[in-house]
Amino acid sequence: MSPLPPAVSAAVAAALGAAPADAVPVGGGSINHAARVTLADGRTVFVKHHPGAPPGAFAAEAHGLAWLAAAGALRTPEVLGVGEEPGARFLALEWIAPATPVDRRGAGATPAERFGRGLAALHRYGAPSFGLDRDNTIGPLPQSNTPCDTWAAFLAERRLLPLTRMAVDGGGLGPATARAIEALAGRLPDLCGPPEPPARLHGDLWSGNAILDADGGPVILDPAVHGGHREVDLAMMRLFGGFPPATFAAYAEDHPLAPGHEDRVELFQLHPLLVHVVLFGGGYAASVERVVRRYA
Ligand code: ADP
């Protein structure tokens, strides 16, 4: 048994109405400590916590999960409790029992197709603006979501330019590349393709944030939600792989992409690449430079 820190355990007990009786670590997360927790009343829940979690980050994640769930398109874990006391910050979620390989062999649409169609429905549900009514985080990094009138403006002002400054300040990016990104940001109105309404985006859709439940149904986790261009989620899915061609095919069948979408994939990968430069340093700078050169 690996107990939760006492302060977290007490906060979970107060929020959920039953004390944690057992906690087993869950791997796979990039930032927080995660555990499968059995409560004294027999419920099994998922709890993630971190002593250094920034104030409001778990509350923003809880909001993001509910915002995605409102679309009724893809399953998200139900939020059971959020703790914002310093030293005892946590997020408690419904435990999603993972699929075993045999669960994935169902009749009808495959999990890959279900995910593609669900993502299309999520995007189509839409968002009130390019942005969000609150700020949130991508991984551990805070991000501003103050709405902009156009997607190109949002991508430049709220994503590429702030991340470029962070990457330069952290030493991961040189001034010449930063200037090239600034020039590129000014040309985004010509590069972002035909206008699209704001889509309801997950915002951090690498394969670790999409799991299968015991019925082989897709579940999305750990979002960085905002209203944005739908090709952003698809570009992120391609960046680190892990999503089969059937997912993209099912998506495109339900919600065809605008002409030129293939030429925008790398453009929309620039933001997550910059996030990686800030978090993990120079190794990703070469990828950033390659993308910037391509669109120069
Ligand atoms: P981090 O904030 O550290 O990135 P994640 O939210 O990605 O943490 O979660 C860490 C791990 O826990 C992931 O591998 C994920 O598969 C698993 N996980 C996340 N939420 C749940 C849940 N509600 N039920 C079961 N497992 C979960």
Side-chain angles (χ1 to χ4, degrees):
M1 171 175 156
S2 141
L4 299 171
V8 174
S9 188
V12 170
L16 274 62
D22 191 21
V24 178
V26 176
S30 45
I31 299 148
N32 295 292
H33 307 297
R36 189 184 74 220
V37 173
T38 308
L39 301 175
D41 63 8
R43 280 180 289 164
T44 298
V45 301
F46 174 84
V47 175
K48 68 181 186 177
H49 59 97
H50 195 284
F58 286 140
E61 182 172 341
H63 164 268
L65 288 169
W67 196 74
L68 295 174
L74 282 169
R75 184 178 177 193
T76 58
E78 188 190 341
V79 177
L80 303 175
V82 185
E84 281 293 342
E85 288 300 315
R89 296 199 171 106
F90 75 89
L91 177 63
L93 303 174
E94 169 192 7
W95 172 255
I96 306 285
T100 57
V102 74
D103 294 324
R104 301 181 190 207
R105 291 202 304 261
T110 65
E113 289 163 358
R114 284 169 72 182
F115 183 70
R117 294 193 198 293
L119 186 65
L122 173 68
H123 286 169
R124 205 187 286 107
Y125 190 83
S129 66
F130 293 110
L132 195 69
D133 64 356
R134 69 197 70 203
D135 296 341
N136 53 22
T137 59
I138 181 155
L141 300 181
Q143 61 180 12
S144 163
N145 293 316
T146 303
C148 292
D149 289 340
T150 64
W151 168 247
F154 186 87
L155 181 58
E157 300 297 328
R158 308 284 180 253
R159 294 292 183 266
L160 298 186
L161 296 176
L163 259 302
T164 298
R165 281 191 289 274
M166 271 193 240
V168 171
D169 292 347
L173 213 60
T177 309
R179 279 193 299 276
I181 296 173
E182 283 156 14
L184 181 61
R187 293 175 42 242
L188 284 176
D190 297 330
L191 296 173
C192 284
E196 296 229 6
R200 188 158 295 224
L201 298 189
H202 177 283
D204 191 10
L205 203 46
W206 68 286
S207 62
N209 285 342
I211 61 172
L212 295 182
D213 66 19
D215 301 323
V219 183
I220 46 175
L221 307 169
D222 206 10
V225 301
H226 56 284
H229 197 301
R230 62 202 176 102
E231 291 170 18
V232 161
D233 273 349
L234 297 166
M236 178 80 185
M237 289 161 65
R238 289 183 195 272
L239 183 56
F240 300 112
F243 295 92
T247 293
F248 297 97
Y251 181 101
E253 200 177 285
D254 268 20
H255 199 1
L257 293 164
H261 64 93
E262 287 292 352
D263 295 330
R264 293 186 288 273
V265 173
E266 286 191 299
L267 181 68
F268 291 155
Q269 288 173 342
L270 194 50
H271 167 246
L273 283 172
L274 284 167
V275 169
H276 279 72
V277 172
V278 172
L279 292 180
F280 307 115
Y284 288 96
S287 304
V288 167
E289 282 160 20
R290 191 177 47 74
V291 173
V292 172
R293 264 201 311 276
R294 173 178 168 183
Y295 293 96

